[in-house]
Amino acid sequence: CGNSNNKNNGGGGIEIPDEPATYTLTFVTDGGTKIAPITAKEGSSVTPPADPEKDGFVFGGWYLTPEHSGNAVTLPTKMPSENKTFYAKFLRKYVLEYDANAPENSTASGTTASTECIEGKPAVIAENGYSIVGYLFMGWSTSANGDVNVNADFTLTQNTTVYAVWNKGYRNKTKQDDYLFISGDEAVLLRNGT
């Protein structure tokens, strides 16, 4: 009688339970900070390591395949009943720079700080910090002479500079500091004078 998984100690009638098997978690970090394997008995508590770091990248999660197919997985807090290898995915970081792109015979004031963007994710577009007297800021373009084409879906595949697009205003003859801006079928009046 007794559990077939138990061992008999040699005839004394006392059965000793099997020791839990030992397994290893291995971490492949693709050039990121190295993480030592974790070896422990099945079912015992394990502490997941800190996320690895890699210059120029952000950590994008752990995967069960080197190709990072499927969804990211959560590292176990108890040792599973098999050896497992986890593959770190990293996403490249890019810098988005902003050029004031002042029209000829005009000078831009102010600054717009560059933003850090992540590969495959919509870019973080900074709020314009430039201004030019007599011009209305319309948005950002990927070329110095282009139309506004940077929107909420804009993504980066390399470090990129975008250029401010300006609309020249028509000066009010009686109040020299007031400007009328026409864009398509809309008009905007900016009253800068008093």
Side-chain angles (χ1 to χ4, degrees):
C1 61
N3 189 323
S4 61
N5 290 330
N6 294 338
K7 295 179 182 175
N8 191 295
N9 70 353
I14 299 173
E15 296 183 356
I16 302 171
D18 288 340
E19 283 288 315
T22 298
Y23 296 102
T24 299
L25 306 179
T26 304
F27 307 95
V28 179
T29 58
D30 188 28
T33 48
K34 293 188 182 304
I35 296 175
I38 298 173
T39 300
K41 292 181 179 178
E42 176 186 351
S44 62
S45 295
V46 293
T47 302
D51 294 340
E53 296 179 353
K54 186 176 180 179
D55 284 345
F57 294 80
V58 294
F59 178 66
W62 291 107
Y63 289 79
L64 296 175
T65 65
E67 300 80 22
H68 309 118
S69 57
N71 295 322
V73 297
T74 301
L75 296 179
T77 56
K78 289 191 178 298
M79 182 58 71
S81 58
E82 60 181 336
N83 295 321
K84 281 190 176 283
T85 300
F86 297 93
Y87 299 87
K89 180 177 181 177
F90 289 96
L91 302 171
R92 186 173 290 279
K93 291 191 288 190
Y94 296 112
V95 176
L96 185 58
E97 301 276 357
Y98 302 88
D99 189 306
N101 196 29
E104 191 174 351
N105 299 321
S106 67
T107 303
S109 61
T111 60
T112 301
S114 61
T115 52
E116 193 173 86
C117 305
I118 298 172
E119 172 187 15
K121 297 185 180 293
V124 177
I125 309 297
E127 185 174 329
N128 174 47
Y130 299 116
S131 63
I132 302 175
V133 173
Y135 288 83
L136 180 66
F137 173 76
M138 303 303 293
W140 301 104
S141 175
T142 51
S143 65
N145 298 314
D147 294 326
V148 173
N149 62 0
V150 175
N151 54 38
D153 297 326
F154 185 66
T155 58
L156 272 61
T157 57
Q158 61 186 359
N159 293 334
T160 301
T161 298
V162 292
Y163 302 86
V165 177
W166 300 97
N167 185 355
K168 183 171 175 48
Y170 298 93
R171 180 173 279 180
N172 185 332
K173 288 184 179 179
T174 57
K175 287 198 170 187
Q176 294 291 302
D177 292 334
D178 288 354
Y179 288 89
L180 179 67
F181 301 92
I182 299 175
S183 176
D185 58 358
E186 294 184 3
V188 177
L189 176 64
L190 292 186
R191 292 190 177 278
N192 297 317
T194 56

